[in-house]
Amino acid sequence: CVAVFTGKANCPYYAKAELLADYLQANLPDFSVHKITQHPDKWEQWLHDICETNGWEHRRSPIIWRELLDRGGRGLLLGGVNDFLEYAQHCYGITSKMLSEEMLDIAEENLQAHIENEKEEEEIKSLIKPLQIWITSASAPICYHLIPLLANGEVFGMTTEISIHLLDTDQFKEVLCGIVMEAEDMAFPLLRSISEHTVIDEAFIEADIIIILDDVLLNLEVQSLENYIREVSEICQVYAPLIEKNAKSEVRVISSGKTFVNLKAMMIMIYGPSIKPENVIAVATSWELAAKAMLARKLNMNTSGVKDVIVWGNITGCNYIDLSHAKLYGYDCAIWGPANFPRPLLNMIYDSAWIHSEFLSAQSSLSSRVCHCVGMLPAHAVATALKYWSHGSPPGEIVSVGILTEGQFCVPKGIVFSMPVRFQNGNWEVMTELEINETTQELLGRLAHELIQEKLIALKEIKEMRPYGADEITS
């Protein structure tokens, strides 16, 4: 048989019965013990439930019973500590002479051990609990390419399971269902679940991460810039209160897409004042990577060897690709060095006319190239930003991210502006130690002006907003 000992973790009488039971188990071949401790705050309810289930009458800690494993049915109640002492004396001629002080000391140790075990179990459960990821405008091609990157373990780690929620309008329900079926068929080991959602009130429930992919189709010959800014504001006016209501308090929001990436992040913060500003970023990685690729082609080298290219300003608007801190690794030239030996990029491009004419003037074509990509590049950009946010960016490397400004680099406060950051310990910080020249500083002022104008237009339009219905999102 197995003797089951249960009691309050800080009960001295449980401690006395427990130690006697340990002695019997160590010295008797057929005596086995199973222990269950309960926190003092949970004991009364637990005792009531176990007695009601088994039809027992018992009101104190501990409660002890025998499990008759070879007979089945409910256990045989022995009673409390005095009943067990009598049982041990009668059956085995053994009793306990433990003093009251010893009982109290062991009871205190039991309580501390119980609290530590509960904490450890909670930590294990938190590791098992999947990360809840919501993706808006999920019918977009970028989402299709993003799902495998999120589910293969490289972004959040090989021990973190995820649940993906795809949100879009009802007209894209079939598309979402197709994506769900295909993702399920791929049997990603870390993808706990994937589901589609078209009812706006259900959006962002228990969200840990929200990826906003909503875009507007720009055609300034048809509509004015003000109307497009209004569309963006209306989308964020719907999302932000739902994020505050349904998502977790530490939710992270990532703004991506082809248009108004900075503005979307800004509007989420305006309409969701309780959302922490440091938890909202706009992804500039697509432009950063495209610029590196263009430079690598010029230098006839691998793109991965180009580092520390900075994207300043309005990510999907007027921005500046800054090469003053850029470095090359593994570049084949007259100077040799170890693999981790960097060379200043500007020293390696001897054709300065190309930089000031073709490269800088090509930024409009660079933007067009990024905006017309099918989805692999922006998906990789979002996944990279999330990976850095979770595990840190490579030591010493610069990452460009749109963040809410606080006056860094003399950029006016209160706009979302792309600037150099590093990710570390689950957070990001602006690399304010970087030096910038007067020319760059002047450019930053002009870039900030565009974003300030966008913000002013959006704030002006707030009073004229047309709220959506309860069950529909405008794409």
Side-chain angles (χ1 to χ4, degrees), residues 40-309:
D41 296 340
K42 300 177 181 177
W43 167 253
E44 294 296 336
Q45 184 62 48
W46 188 89
L47 179 61
H48 173 271
D49 293 343
I50 196 71
C51 288
E52 187 175 87
T53 301
N54 291 279
W56 296 334
E57 287 289 337
H58 193 85
R59 293 191 176 89
R60 293 190 182 94
S61 171
I63 179 172
I64 305 163
W65 69 87
R66 293 171 61 197
E67 292 283 0
L68 306 178
L69 300 180
D70 57 339
R71 300 184 189 178
R74 68 186 184 185
L76 176 64
L77 179 66
L78 295 179
V81 62
N82 291 332
D83 300 303
F84 176 63
L85 292 176
E86 291 178 9
Y87 170 82
Q89 179 69 47
H90 175 74
C91 294
Y92 308 112
I94 300 172
T95 189
S96 174
K97 296 180 180 180
M98 185 184 293
L99 299 176
S100 297
E101 289 184 3
E102 292 179 289
M103 293 164 57
L104 291 170
D105 289 343
I106 295 172
E108 180 62 28
E109 290 177 5
N110 282 345
L111 178 59
Q112 293 303 317
H114 180 81
I115 292 172
E116 289 176 7
N117 287 337
E118 281 190 329
K119 184 178 179 181
E120 185 177 348
E121 288 177 2
E122 286 299 318
E123 289 176 353
I124 292 172
K125 286 180 182 177
S126 68
L127 293 175
I128 296 173
K129 189 175 182 181
L131 207 62
Q132 304 294 326
I133 303 171
W134 284 77
I135 305 174
T136 72
S137 194
S139 62
I142 177 176
C143 178
Y144 184 82
H145 293 279
L146 180 59
I147 290 172
L149 300 177
L150 298 177
N152 66 12
E154 292 184 10
V155 174
F156 303 108
M158 298 306 296
T159 59
T160 303
E161 291 190 341
I162 64 172
S163 289
I164 297 177
H165 305 267
L166 308 178
L167 178 67
D168 214 316
T169 58
D170 192 60
Q171 72 183 96
F172 294 107
K173 186 175 179 62
E174 287 189 13
V175 176
L176 300 186
C177 289
I179 296 173
V180 168
M181 291 176 62
E182 192 167 350
E184 289 174 341
D185 290 344
M186 293 180 75
F188 294 106
L190 296 173
L191 182 60
R192 176 78 67 86
S193 64
I194 182 168
S195 55
E196 79 281 351
H197 302 266
T198 56
V199 179
I200 188 60
D201 287 342
E202 298 175 357
F204 314 128
I205 292 175
E206 291 298 302
D208 293 292
I209 294 169
I210 298 171
I211 303 168
I212 297 178
L213 302 181
D214 299 71
D215 271 318
V216 294
L217 299 176
L218 284 178
N219 187 345
L220 295 178
E221 294 180 1
V222 176
Q223 288 194 64
S224 66
L225 180 65
E226 288 77 7
N227 285 335
Y228 289 118
I229 291 176
R230 174 181 293 180
E231 285 187 41
V232 174
S233 296
E234 288 178 337
I235 293 168
C236 297
Q237 187 187 29
V238 174
Y239 286 163
L242 287 169
I243 294 172
E244 290 185 300
K245 177 184 175 183
N246 295 338
K248 293 178 182 175
S249 60
E250 294 294 326
V251 63
R252 293 176 173 180
V253 182
I254 293 90
S255 174
S256 184
K258 300 178 180 180
T259 57
F260 297 108
V261 171
N262 296 54
L263 183 63
K264 285 185 289 188
M266 181 81 261
M267 291 294 99
I268 289 295
M269 288 184 259
I270 288 176
Y271 289 122
S274 69
I275 301 170
K276 295 181 178 180
E278 64 269 23
N279 284 358
V280 183
I281 66 171
V283 177
T285 316
S286 294
W287 278 257
E288 187 180 303
L289 292 172
K292 289 178 180 179
M294 188 173 180
L295 292 164
R297 284 192 295 272
K298 174 66 175 178
L299 293 164
N300 193 28
M301 65 176 293
N302 193 316
T303 304
S304 63
V306 184
K307 308 288 186 183
D308 300 342
V309 173

